Amino acid sequence: MHRRTLLKLATSVSLAAGLTLSALPAAAADVTMNLGFGAPEASIYGRFGTIFKDKLEALSGGSIEVKLRCCNQISSEDEAFKAMQLGTVDGFFITANNVSPHWPLMDVTVLPYIFQDTAHLEKVVDGEVGQLMKDKLQAETSVHLLSFGPALYRDFYNSKRAINTMADMEGLKIRVPKNEVMIATFEAFGAEPVPLAWSETPTALQTGTVDGGDNGTSFIRDMKFYEFEPHLVILEHFVAMAPLFASDAFMKRLSDEQRAQVQQAADEAGAELRRQVQNETEEIRDWLVAEGGMAMTRPDKADFITASQAIQQSFAEERGQEFIDLVNAIQAAAN
């Protein structure tokens, strides 16, 4: 075969291969998601992140890799929401009360005793109200709320005394997040709230700068607060949710199929972890008493609830109609 014929044949084969390849759909690009949280790997955030990672990497066939970054490696919880808005952080677990400075409507979930029970809470976050909040937050801040995650009540603890009535709260210096609702709530309970970032909290508790605080029950164990906070108080005044967020910049790096896989993994991970922790709260409380050496009290909540109702009313009036509408929708979901 002549040289010219060989060249023509090679050119034809190359063109045919190019046409064939161009006719195929583009493969999804490999993407890494750095997913951060402020607590240890063994915390509820770490557990949520691990389930999400396993599910997403399986659903995406490995085209999305999730790297878990615990312990404020890529941001602090107080700064992470802004970082996601800027696109410098891919994703982060942020306690709902730390979202409120960036999106005040989140405070509807922070209001004391706003949820009657776990069934009411799940009906809200899994239903129309929860979806409305996700859509509004994304439209107004650009950040995606992928899953509210499991919800646990916050337990109160302090180093000074047992709490049997609301009067026993008088004068206690209580660490609170930098959240207006939570500050006002502890003031109504008679305590002296001290707003501190989460990163400052363990040291403030250990050194006695503050007398106590409140967290989801598992955090009290995970952070070993029982070592210097002997009094555990079951108030169940706030709900601690562990929402999973992602930046718009990260979501835009994904194909439509990958975005659907991220959402599916978030939904499934949140549901799975919720099933896991459903019965853990009482088990952890028992552990904190038996193994952690804490003394537990369960005060009558009547006075606390009365004080909280005034807080609900005050913030609804202050925040305006949109806030009132969401509060009403949450209360209606209980029926």
Side-chain angles (χ1 to χ4, degrees):
M1 187 178 292
H2 294 296
R3 175 180 173 82
R4 182 177 298 174
T5 305
L6 284 169
L7 288 171
K8 288 173 67 178
L9 180 60
T11 301
S12 299
V13 170
S14 297
L15 287 169
L19 289 170
T20 302
L21 289 172
S22 65
L24 293 173
D30 288 345
V31 180
T32 297
M33 180 185 193
N34 286 290
L35 179 57
F37 46 100
E41 286 188 15
S43 69
I44 195 101
Y45 290 150
R47 289 170 62 186
F48 195 174
T50 299
I51 299 169
F52 173 74
K53 168 184 169 69
D54 292 345
K55 288 184 177 296
L56 180 53
E57 291 179 351
L59 285 168
S60 68
S63 74
I64 304 175
E65 179 186 12
V66 179
K67 292 186 176 180
L68 301 179
R69 308 293 193 184
C70 78
C71 316
N72 299 316
Q73 288 179 42
I74 58 175
S75 180
S76 69
E77 184 164 321
D78 299 274
E79 299 296 331
F81 196 93
K82 189 66 176 179
M84 284 188 285
Q85 287 182 296
L86 295 172
T88 56
V89 165
D90 296 334
F92 215 90
F93 292 101
I94 306 178
T95 310
N97 54 264
N98 286 328
V99 176
S100 304
H102 310 281
W103 193 64
L105 282 177
M106 186 61 81
D107 270 341
V108 296
T109 68
V110 181
L111 290 169
Y113 295 109
I114 188 65
F115 299 107
Q116 293 186 8
D117 52 31
T118 302
H120 177 207
L121 186 149
E122 291 180 358
K123 188 176 179 181
V124 170
V125 298
D126 292 341
E128 293 181 4
V129 178
Q131 189 59 52
L132 172 66
M133 293 180 67
K134 290 179 180 181
D135 293 342
K136 285 182 71 65
L137 183 141
Q138 200 271 321
E140 294 173 10
T141 70
S142 80
V143 175
H144 298 250
L145 200 174
L146 299 176
S147 171
F148 282 97
L152 302 172
Y153 290 105
R154 293 175 79 100
D155 281 341
F156 177 69
Y157 50 84
N158 81 94
S159 61
K160 296 296 185 182
R161 54 181 175 265
I163 304 297
N164 292 296
T165 69
M166 198 167 81
D168 294 328
M169 300 285 287
E170 189 69 31
L172 288 177
K173 292 184 294 181
I174 303 305
R175 177 270 169 178
V176 294
K178 296 177 180 179
N179 177 278
E180 293 179 357
V181 171
M182 302 177 94
I183 293 168
T185 298
F186 274 105
E187 286 176 342
F189 289 172
E192 297 179 10
V194 180
L196 287 176
W198 172 248
S199 57
E200 302 171 59
T201 299
T203 300
L205 289 166
Q206 194 164 8
T207 59
T209 303
V210 293
D211 299 324
D214 69 337
N215 286 103
T217 313
S218 62
F219 266 66
I220 301 171
R221 183 177 66 179
D222 295 340
M223 299 301 296
K224 299 184 178 181
F225 289 162
Y226 55 85
E227 292 182 351
F228 38 86
E229 301 292 320
H231 301 287
L232 177 65
V233 186
I234 312 306
L235 288 182
E236 300 179 329
H237 49 305
F238 296 130
V239 167
M241 283 189 276
L244 167 58
F245 296 90
S247 72
D248 196 50
F250 169 74
M251 296 297 279
K252 284 179 175 175
R253 298 209 310 266
L254 308 178
S255 67
D256 289 345
E257 182 181 19
Q258 288 174 322
R259 279 191 288 273
Q261 291 163 348
V262 167
Q263 187 59 63
Q264 182 180 345
D267 291 340
E268 292 180 1
E272 181 172 326
L273 186 57
R274 183 184 294 170
R275 288 193 295 271
Q276 288 183 15
V277 303
Q278 195 167 26
N279 299 315
E280 285 185 7
T281 297
E282 286 301 331
E283 293 172 3
I284 295 171
R285 286 169 177 166
D286 291 343
W287 186 96
L288 288 169
V289 173
E291 304 295 330
M294 299 183 83
M296 181 168 62
T297 58
R298 294 179 181 266
D300 185 329
K301 297 176 185 176
D303 288 342
F304 292 98
I305 291 172
T306 298
S308 296
Q309 288 170 341
I311 295 295
Q312 292 179 21
Q313 181 68 26
S314 173
F315 274 88
E317 292 174 356
E318 177 186 318
R319 297 291 178 86
Q321 193 59 50
E322 195 173 28
F323 194 91
I324 292 170
D325 290 343
L326 269 179
V327 170
N328 290 339
I330 288 173
Q331 291 172 342
N335 299 325

